[in-house]
Amino acid sequence: MDSAPPITVQQDRERIMPKDSRLTPPDSHPWMVYISTLFASILAMLIGYNQAIISGAMLLLVDKFQVDTLWQQLIATSNTAGCAFALLLAGYPVQRFGRKKMILASNMLACIGAIISAAAPTKEVVLVGRFVSGIGGGGISLVVPMYISECAPADIRGRLGSFTQCLLTVGIVLSSIIAGAFSGIGESGWRWMFACPCVIDVVHFVGFLFLPESPRWYMDRGREKETEDVLKQLRNNPDEIAKELEDMKRTVAEGRRLKFDKGQGSSVIARVIKTPPVRRALILAMALASITQITGVSPIIFYSGTILKRAGFSDELAIWMTSIPSAIMAASAFTATVLVERLGRKHLFLGAQIGQLIALIVLGLGFFLSASHSPVVSDDIQRTINNATTTPICDFRTCDQCIESSQCGFCYDVLSRASCVPVSVNGSATTGRCSSASSFNSSDFTLVTQACPSDYKWFPVIGSSLYLAVFGGGCGVIFVVIAEVFPLWARGTCSSIATSTLWTSQIVVSVTFLSLAEAITAYGAFWLYAGVALLSAIYIFIFMPETRGVRLEDVDQLFMTHDEKNVLRKTEEDTELNKNAPADTMP
């Protein structure tokens, strides 16, 4: 037989696109589908809340426990570290005990961690509590999307799956509102910020007890009767139930056959490494997962309060201002649920990188202008202060230089008459006009230690709002992509690896941001992230395939070379010929 002619790109797309779309109308699905999705997705809201609440709480923790830069970074990233750690442990229990029990256990861990953080007597205990709640969050990030995809009908699976990302951003907005509300009640406000999620945890735990287990987990455990009972709660059409049951049986049988297939290795990882299309898909998923973090989203969310304070806003106003970019991100995430099937995953992701590039340039420009036009000290006043101290430690020329030192603060009544004065560990001036011991009325003067007066303080608000808007509208598709690009036999393992890459990248970026900003300035850090966003856009444009409209079982063909596709087509043709050939006559 002659070799098959090469497949053109258009022929390839037509071959793997579904040829009909006879799907059940969304309004005919049982209410249990939507209730199950809603209750499961509520926990995604807690992931967003628990990770973002540190932005407002950190401003109060710094004063309460005298937290230095290193501890700020450790506390901010401990929740994410717990998420990454959980993914190392969650694979076995989610298969052994089921999706529902795993979700409930993750809920309990998140609540326990919140209680530990809220009652913490030291910064070390705060870190432990954040880590424990992160373990719960990691379990949630793995199991909730899995539970929704296994319960949802095919025609609305994408919409219901993206709802998880929407509620995650709602959690970030909620954290901004809660932080602002409790920032004005004194130094104990941070305790209430950490404790609030427990209310939602309790409501979710009670409600989820009455919801069904994943039908596919039941089938994987050989419990066909329970599988059928759950499907009857989640589907209306008996024909769909029968067909889905048959598909589940076939899929489970195929998975068990591959599990004991020693031809390509005894483990899933070994088979992934030896299967080029799956290996390429895993590399792409890991790269895209990293891209969502290495362009700086974690610092903008976690340290948004600190960023705005450095830009010139007061503590309380900075906390409230964080709700503006967070609300914009949540709105854009809901918009993305509509656009993901119209524009496609690749266009949304690529557009997000371009938008983030512009936003990061604006953010860096704001800090650059603030530093370039920083108020200067008055020579005669500064000379008097230097003469009054044995060893002048605050002999700086500008406000920006002055507050860079933890031992100095910028004191002024009007900006034309300003000085850089020594401050104590609690932030009060020890000498100069802002000192309570001076002959001046210190209440007539302003002392700043973390932010200088600036006419450019709105640049960070605009930049962070634009950044989170395009991030929420585009980068949220990473969870959709991770769920699509792997074949069924490798989906669980590869998805765990890709998701773990996302959390690990977030840890690295978060734990290095403040040190990076101190080393190359804040505007230098944001411009560095802008350069990474540019390289990321180029990578996405070249290497990321479009999965919109492609059957889930055929997505792996997008990662095949031309020769591999031709071999696959020839194999399919030979199989079809053998199936249609008359059976051999028995002697």
Side-chain angles (χ1 to χ4, degrees):
M1 181 184 292
D2 295 336
S3 60
I7 305 172
T8 66
V9 174
Q10 180 62 30
Q11 289 173 334
D12 187 53
R13 290 290 297 181
E14 291 176 354
R15 188 172 65 87
I16 63 179
M17 289 283 285
K19 292 180 172 56
D20 64 57
S21 302
R22 295 188 296 269
L23 301 174
T24 305
D27 58 1
S28 67
H29 294 301
W31 60 269
M32 183 60 75
V33 173
Y34 301 101
I35 296 297
S36 300
T37 297
L38 177 62
F39 265 87
S41 299
I42 284 176
L43 289 185
M45 180 171 65
L46 293 182
I47 296 178
Y49 179 94
N50 285 330
Q51 292 206 337
I53 193 62
I54 196 63
S55 173
M58 186 67 75
L59 298 179
L60 304 180
L61 288 172
V62 168
D63 295 333
K64 173 66 176 178
F65 298 122
Q66 302 301 311
V67 180
D68 59 19
T69 297
L70 174 62
W71 270 95
Q72 287 185 56
Q73 294 174 152
L74 290 175
I75 292 174
T77 57
S78 58
N79 190 268
T80 307
C83 289
F85 178 75
L87 289 171
L88 300 177
L89 308 174
Y92 174 76
V94 75
Q95 288 299 119
R96 176 67 177 82
F97 301 108
R99 293 22 166 174
K100 181 177 178 178
K101 291 180 181 178
M102 188 68 177
I103 287 175
L104 293 172
S106 299
N107 181 338
M108 293 178 61
L109 281 173
C111 187
I112 291 171
I115 293 173
I116 293 174
S117 299
T122 65
K123 61 179 181 290
E124 290 82 6
V125 179
V126 172
L127 186 144
V128 171
R130 296 274 298 162
F131 184 81
V132 172
S133 65
I135 294 177
I140 292 167
S141 69
L142 175 66
V143 187
V144 166
M146 187 184 303
Y147 175 83
I148 293 175
S149 66
E150 291 181 348
C151 291
D155 58 310
I156 58 173
R157 184 179 298 130
R159 188 192 314 165
L160 296 183
S162 60
F163 196 61
T164 300
Q165 173 68 15
C166 293
L167 284 186
L168 190 149
T169 59
V170 169
I172 295 175
V173 177
L174 184 62
S175 73
S176 300
I177 297 173
I178 295 296
F182 287 114
S183 63
I185 68 171
E187 66 175 19
S188 64
W190 61 271
R191 298 187 185 275
W192 291 101
M193 296 179 195
F194 287 141
C196 278
C198 289
V199 177
I200 300 176
D201 283 321
V202 172
V203 173
H204 172 274
F205 189 92
V206 174
F208 208 74
L209 288 173
F210 300 95
L211 296 178
E213 174 60 89
S214 162
R216 283 166 173 77
W217 181 78
Y218 276 140
M219 181 63 75
D220 189 53
R221 307 300 295 182
R223 299 163 63 174
E224 295 185 15
K225 179 64 169 61
E226 288 94 332
T227 303
E228 185 174 359
D229 291 341
V230 172
L231 279 179
K232 289 178 179 178
Q233 297 181 58
L234 302 174
R235 309 287 187 269
N236 279 333
N237 192 326
D239 293 336
E240 288 185 6
I241 294 175
K243 186 177 186 308
E244 200 160 346
L245 283 170
E246 289 302 315
D247 289 342
M248 288 185 196
K249 292 177 183 178
R250 175 176 50 81
T251 302
V252 169
E254 178 69 9
R256 288 173 179 167
R257 184 187 68 80
L258 288 171
K259 179 179 180 180
F260 298 103
D261 182 7
K262 306 296 183 180
Q264 288 187 309
S266 58
S267 69
V268 174
I269 291 295
R271 294 200 298 273
V272 168
I273 294 174
K274 295 180 179 181
T275 308
V278 183
R279 185 176 67 240
R280 296 179 195 121
L282 178 59
I283 293 172
L284 176 80
M286 293 173 65
L288 296 181
S290 297
I291 285 172
T292 63
Q293 302 302 318
I294 61 177
T295 50
V297 65
S298 300
I300 292 178
I301 293 177
F302 296 166
Y303 299 110
S304 56
T306 303
I307 290 170
L308 294 174
K309 186 174 179 179
R310 286 187 175 185
F313 292 98
S314 65
D315 279 9
E316 188 171 349
L317 186 57
I319 291 175
W320 276 109
M321 292 296 292
T322 59
S323 63
I324 296 177
S326 299
I328 293 175
M329 181 173 68
S332 66
F334 278 95
T335 302
T337 61
V338 177
L339 296 179
V340 69
E341 295 298 343
R342 295 186 179 182
L343 299 180
R345 286 71 158 148
K346 180 173 183 176
H347 288 160
L348 276 181
F349 213 167
L350 181 60
Q353 297 308 308
I354 296 173
Q356 288 172 239
L357 170 62
I358 297 171
L360 289 165
I361 292 174
V362 172
L363 263 171
L365 182 62
F367 283 99
F368 175 76
L369 291 174
S370 295
S372 300
H373 297 81
S374 181
V376 297
V377 301
S378 176
D379 290 336
D380 56 333
I381 299 175
Q382 191 65 42
R383 191 178 302 111
T384 302
I385 294 174
N386 292 342
N387 292 335
T389 56
T390 305
T391 305
I393 59 174
C394 297
D395 190 16
F396 297 105
R397 298 298 305 152
T398 67
C399 174
D400 197 57
Q401 296 171 351
C402 177
I403 66 171
E404 283 295 319
S405 171
S406 60
Q407 297 178 294
C408 304
F410 190 71
C411 175
Y412 66 95
D413 53 351
V414 292
L415 289 180
S416 60
R417 292 177 53 79
S419 57
C420 186
V421 300
V423 297
S424 62
V425 292
N426 64 2
S428 60
T430 58
T431 188
R433 298 177 300 166
C434 286
S435 171
S436 58
S438 71
S439 59
F440 296 94
N441 185 359
S442 60
S443 62
D444 294 334
F445 296 86
T446 301
L447 177 68
V448 295
T449 58
Q450 295 190 23
C452 293
S454 174
D455 294 330
Y456 305 100
K457 61 185 179 182
W458 284 101
F459 273 74
V461 178
I462 297 172
S464 58
S465 297
L466 175 60
Y467 183 99
L468 294 180
V470 296
F471 179 88
C475 291
V477 302
I478 182 61
F479 295 107
V480 178
V481 173
I482 289 176
E484 288 179 335
V485 296
F486 304 115
L488 181 60
W489 62 268
R491 192 169 297 149
T493 299
C494 291
S495 295
S496 297
I497 294 173
T499 307
S500 178
T501 302
L502 186 150
W503 292 123
T504 304
S505 301
Q506 188 180 104
I507 293 172
V508 173
V509 174
S510 299
V511 82
T512 58
F513 171 69
L514 293 181
S515 299
L516 185 65
E518 289 181 357
I520 63 174
T521 72
Y523 58 84
F526 287 121
W527 285 345
L528 176 63
Y529 293 146
V532 175
L534 176 60
L535 295 177
S536 299
I538 295 173
Y539 178 87
I540 292 169
F541 179 78
I542 296 175
F543 295 106
M544 181 178 178
E546 179 54 68
T547 59
R548 178 187 57 162
V550 180
R551 288 185 297 251
L552 196 61
E553 294 77 14
D554 295 327
V555 170
D556 61 334
Q557 296 180 35
L558 298 174
F559 297 91
M560 294 181 180
T561 64
H562 234 24
D563 289 341
E564 290 167 344
K565 291 175 183 178
N566 284 328
V567 170
L568 176 65
R569 190 180 70 162
K570 185 177 184 302
T571 302
E572 290 175 345
E573 290 174 349
D574 291 344
T575 301
E576 188 67 22
L577 286 173
N578 293 333
K579 185 169 62 175
N580 295 332
D584 293 337
T585 302
M586 296 294 292

